[in-house]
Amino acid sequence: MTERNTTLVIGIIGPPCSGKSTVARVVESRGGVWIDADAIAKEQLSDAEVIADLVESFGIAILASDGSVSRAQIADLVFGDDDESHRRLKKLESIIHPRTHRIIQSRLDTATARGALYIILDVPLLLESGWESQCDQIWCMQIEPARHRQLLAARGWSETELARREQRQLPWAEKRRRSTWVIQNDGSVDDLREKVVRMLNQSRPAPTTHRS
């Protein structure tokens, strides 16, 4: 008899600066694969074909002085309440999302085929975009508001900017309801790491066996 591991796919959700990256790194250190959709999408902004499509759609003003795409300028164009902002957001998504989706799916398939113990799927709007169906569990970060404001400020985020980006998302109460675990990030980084290790120990499915 030989032992065969089953990959546990964990979707991680939470607002910016809530501790998602710390959780993902802990899972990674325990034999997991971290699929970071933000990093993948950022890589696409360096692709010549993508840059050309963005300039054609939004104009040369989206480029920084070095010819790279200005993420801040793109954000100003697409995160707004008016119909034109909504239209621009849909156009941006039509350029970036199909490429990002293919890469995420490829990495999921590869990690599963290689028998990774865990995959941590870190995708913005994970529930809204349908990735929930590929997850065994959803982990939702929660952080006390005053502490969250401090962390956002340290990263250069304003509450107004956060609200602007979250206006088309599901309410966080609904996201927490649909989550397997809600992780209260209310202590030190070491406290958070310990929570994640305990959750992994509780969540890990028992290995299955088959005859070789």
Side-chain angles (χ1 to χ4, degrees):
M1 301 284 285
T2 59
E3 200 172 77
R4 182 174 61 199
N5 286 318
T6 302
T7 300
L8 182 70
V9 181
I10 302 163
I12 183 82
I13 62 176
C17 304
S18 61
K20 295 191 300 295
S21 295
T22 298
V23 171
R25 282 191 288 268
V26 175
V27 175
E28 199 174 35
S29 73
R30 306 281 292 190
V33 173
W34 179 11
I35 300 178
D36 183 350
D38 265 345
I40 294 169
K42 187 176 180 179
E43 290 168 4
Q44 299 313 297
L45 295 179
S46 299
D47 183 277
E49 183 179 339
V50 171
I51 293 173
D53 286 347
L54 292 173
V55 169
E56 181 179 353
S57 299
F58 303 118
I60 199 73
I62 65 165
L63 298 182
S65 57
D66 61 359
S68 64
V69 175
S70 167
R71 299 182 76 190
Q73 180 64 27
I74 290 287
D76 285 342
L77 288 173
V78 303
F79 294 120
D81 289 328
D82 57 289
D83 290 342
E84 185 62 19
S85 293
H86 294 184
R87 184 193 66 77
R88 289 192 292 255
L89 179 60
K90 288 185 180 300
K91 182 61 179 179
L92 174 67
E93 291 173 343
S94 74
I95 295 170
I96 300 295
H97 282 191
R99 294 173 168 87
T100 303
H101 191 284
R102 285 194 296 270
I103 295 170
I104 292 171
Q105 189 63 60
S106 175
R107 293 185 185 179
L108 266 171
D109 294 343
T110 299
T112 301
R114 290 178 177 175
L117 290 178
Y118 313 101
I119 298 172
I120 185 104
L121 190 56
D122 184 1
V123 178
L125 304 179
L126 184 141
L127 300 181
E128 293 89 340
S129 58
W131 285 107
E132 179 183 16
S133 64
Q134 300 212 38
C135 298
D136 299 302
Q137 296 186 3
I138 304 295
W139 292 5
C140 180
M141 304 302 299
Q142 183 166 290
I143 188 166
E144 193 272 326
R147 185 182 183 201
H148 192 212
R149 285 192 293 270
Q150 292 176 346
L151 293 172
L152 287 170
R155 294 272 192 93
W157 281 69
S158 68
E159 291 185 74
T160 301
E161 176 66 12
L162 180 63
R164 182 173 70 153
R165 296 191 180 213
E166 291 187 339
Q167 60 188 343
R168 298 186 194 92
Q169 299 185 24
L170 289 170
W172 279 107
E174 172 65 11
K175 292 187 180 187
R176 288 191 292 270
R177 187 189 68 79
R178 289 167 60 173
S179 298
T180 314
W181 299 91
V182 175
I183 307 173
Q184 186 68 41
N185 184 10
D186 54 4
S188 68
V189 172
D190 285 341
D191 290 336
L192 180 56
R193 290 185 182 124
E194 289 176 5
K195 286 182 180 179
V196 174
V197 170
R198 286 198 302 270
M199 289 165 59
L200 290 176
N201 290 337
Q202 293 179 56
S203 301
R204 182 79 191 122
T208 59
T209 59
H210 70 289
R211 296 187 180 276
S212 56

